[in-house]
Amino acid sequence: MPKIITIAREYGSGGRLIAQKVAEKLGIVYYDNEVIDLAAKELGIDVDTIRKASEEKTSSFMYTMSSSAFTLPLNDQVFAMQSKIIRHLAMHDSCIIVNGCADYILEDYDDVLTVFVHAPFESRVRRVKEDYQEEHDDYKKFVMKKDKGRSNYYNYYTTKKWGQLKNFDLTINSDLGLDEVADIIVKLYLQGEK
């Protein structure tokens, strides 16, 4: 069976950049927005709509219509489709999956290294502003809002609590350095292959 790394992260912690570095060092596939894009394709719904739904827990207003009646809320459909895609990827290829719920979705799979990347709040705000070069009126509020959304989504769709240490094999502060964190993850991954 393939070996998987799942990476969940606080917004602005550099988790996506770390995942890309790890994938490059190990020569394995990296999935992030591709999971959402595949879910959109499978559901036959616009990618932007799916991306918005994939970041929010169910709302009573986000239903889609079927030919006969209301179906599951769009957010629930997206979560179910993403779960199906993530399980499929995990069974067929060694890869890194950057998805807030992938650790939960794959909790019954063998050979999964689950990682949570965090960093001090001020570091994350600086990274969003300087490294990501995003433009926001209030960076602190934006980062807090993104974290709250991730937390609400994870807590709603899983039986766990977002960011809890015991949910992950490794929780790591990206202020150690993105390359250094990537090297640690690579080392753990390779140790598991022995």
Side-chain angles (χ1 to χ4, degrees), residues 20 24 36 41 48 61 71 78 83 97 101 105 108 118 121 128 139 149-150 158 160-162 166-167 187 192-193:
Q20 291 168 339
E24 189 175 303
I36 296 167
K41 185 177 178 183
D48 291 332
F61 300 108
T71 60
V78 170
S83 298
I97 301 171
C101 296
I105 293 165
D108 294 331
H118 60 90
F121 184 72
V128 169
Y139 287 91
R150 287 179 178 180
T158 76
K160 300 178 180 181
K161 189 164 172 45
W162 186 73
K166 65 182 182 179
N167 296 344
K187 185 176 180 181
E193 287 188 335

Side-chain angles (χ1 to χ4, degrees), residues 6-186:
T6 68
I7 296 184
R9 74 264 188 234
E10 290 179 325
Y11 193 76
S13 65
R16 174 178 292 143
L17 300 172
I18 291 166
Q20 291 168 339
K21 290 174 183 289
V22 172
E24 189 175 303
K25 289 173 187 276
L26 292 172
I28 62 175
V29 186
Y30 154 85
Y31 295 101
D32 183 7
N33 289 330
E34 295 83 359
V35 173
I36 296 167
D37 296 348
L38 288 168
K41 185 177 178 183
E42 288 292 319
L43 292 169
I45 298 173
D46 174 66
V47 172
D48 291 332
T49 302
I50 294 293
R51 287 196 181 168
K52 184 169 175 24
S54 73
E55 295 174 355
E56 299 173 356
K57 62 184 183 176
T58 296
S59 154
S60 58
F61 300 108
M62 293 200 67
Y63 284 80
T64 57
M65 293 290 288
S66 70
S67 56
S68 58
F70 283 104
T71 60
L72 283 174
L74 179 59
N75 309 63
D76 292 352
Q77 290 180 53
V78 170
F79 181 78
M81 184 57 67
Q82 283 185 320
S83 298
K84 180 179 173 185
I85 290 166
I86 287 169
R87 286 188 197 102
H88 177 80
L89 295 172
M91 290 184 65
H92 292 90
D93 204 4
S94 292
C95 61
I96 298 173
I97 301 171
V98 178
N99 178 289
C101 296
D103 64 287
Y104 175 78
I105 293 165
L106 299 177
E107 70 179 348
D108 294 331
Y109 282 61
D110 294 329
D111 296 325
V112 177
L113 174 64
T114 58
V115 178
F116 186 82
V117 179
H118 60 90
F121 184 72
E122 291 302 323
S123 296
R124 296 188 294 122
V125 169
R126 182 205 50 76
R127 185 172 283 119
V128 169
K129 191 176 194 176
E130 296 173 14
D131 298 351
Y132 299 175
Q133 297 185 344
E134 294 181 13
E135 293 187 23
H136 304 287
D137 293 334
D138 187 328
Y139 287 91
K140 289 181 179 182
K141 279 187 183 176
F142 182 77
V143 170
M144 284 190 287
K145 180 181 175 186
K146 291 295 276 188
D147 277 348
K148 184 176 181 186
R150 287 179 178 180
S151 175
N152 288 343
Y153 187 82
Y154 187 90
N155 296 345
Y156 182 82
Y157 283 107
T158 76
T159 57
K160 300 178 180 181
K161 189 164 172 45
W162 186 73
Q164 257 188 353
L165 302 178
K166 65 182 182 179
N167 296 344
F168 302 93
D169 299 314
L170 173 69
T171 60
I172 193 161
N173 182 341
S174 60
D175 272 7
L176 294 170
L178 301 185
D179 288 316
E180 290 75 9
V181 170
D183 287 341
I184 291 167
I185 295 169
V186 167

